Amino acid sequence: AVLLVISLGSYPISMILKLIFKVARPEGAMVILNFSADKYSFPSSHVMFYTVFWGYLLLNSGVIFPNDKILRRSLQVLSLLLILLIAMSRIYL
């Protein structure tokens, strides 16, 4: 339940940050604008969701797998790897 609340809570934070930074979308971007902050591109709402989701799992891997060191380390490595790959893909794109 906490993971769901934290992950879904990333969307309003993303919208607030979009209104603060006001980085325009690229010319010719094919998007449907549902909210005034959606005309801005940074930070990307779906990327923020993924980062919060995997970051939560990374930080709470000890709670999720308290007795299994191999699963705990595997979840930590997977979470960290995905966060880094997401960040690198945003820089590349």
Side-chain angles (χ1 to χ4, degrees):
V2 173
L3 177 60
L4 181 64
V5 169
I6 288 173
S7 296
L8 293 177
S10 68
Y11 182 75
I13 293 170
S14 173
M15 290 297 115
I16 291 168
L17 290 173
K18 284 180 188 225
L19 291 173
I20 292 171
F21 290 114
K22 295 183 179 179
V23 176
R25 292 191 182 275
E27 288 292 320
M30 303 289 286
V31 295
I32 298 172
L33 304 176
N34 296 326
F35 182 66
S36 64
D38 278 345
K39 64 184 175 181
Y40 303 119
S41 66
F42 178 81
S44 177
S45 299
H46 67 284
V47 171
M48 184 172 270
F49 170 81
Y50 296 136
T51 304
V52 168
F53 177 83
W54 289 110
Y56 178 84
L57 290 179
L58 174 67
L59 293 175
N60 289 299
S61 59
V63 175
I64 297 168
F65 297 114
N67 299 324
D68 194 338
K69 188 175 182 178
I70 294 173
L71 283 176
R72 184 173 57 243
R73 291 288 180 217
S74 297
L75 180 60
Q76 289 171 342
V77 168
L78 175 67
S79 298
L80 187 59
L81 181 63
L82 287 171
I83 290 170
L84 291 174
L85 287 173
I86 290 168
M88 291 184 341
S89 75
R90 296 291 92 195
I91 292 169
Y92 176 75
L93 292 174

